[in-house]
Amino acid sequence: LSHRVAVDGTDVYLSAREFQLLQVLLAEDRVVSADELAELASGLPEASVQGIRVMIGRIRRKLEGRAGTTVLETVRGVGYRITR
């Protein structure tokens, strides 16, 4: 019921919702606003803007705690993107 992502060869366990949100960010390959993420992830029960922000924080802690670098970037006043 959860998905796995590897960061620097280490498995990181994400919930299904976190994984779906990460998939959206990876697929878009650009800065995506919280409003747009809420719309793109409309199947998520937490699809409010505040819910998206909470999930972004969770994903960031899980990914960046392993990598030691910024993986999920916040572009102030615009949205979020995956750094590559």
Side-chain angles (χ1 to χ4, degrees):
L1 298 175
S2 64
H3 297 273
R4 293 184 337 184
V5 174
V7 177
D8 292 334
T10 304
D11 285 342
V12 177
Y13 295 91
L14 301 176
S15 71
R17 284 181 244 159
E18 291 166 347
F19 189 82
Q20 184 181 5
L21 190 59
L22 185 60
Q23 279 184 305
V24 169
L25 286 168
L26 287 167
E28 292 299 315
D29 196 29
R30 62 181 174 84
V31 177
V32 183
S33 71
D35 289 326
E36 194 175 356
L37 282 170
E39 185 178 316
L40 290 169
S42 62
L44 298 176
E46 297 179 26
S48 68
V49 171
Q50 185 58 35
I52 294 298
R53 289 183 179 135
V54 169
M55 282 194 290
I56 290 289
R58 280 192 230 142
I59 295 167
R60 180 178 281 132
R61 282 189 297 278
K62 289 178 181 182
L63 297 181
E64 294 175 3
R66 301 281 197 276
T69 60
T70 302
V71 175
L72 232 167
E73 182 181 4
T74 299
V75 179
R76 189 176 297 265
V78 182
Y80 308 95
R81 72 174 161 210
I82 301 292
T83 58
R84 296 183 191 256

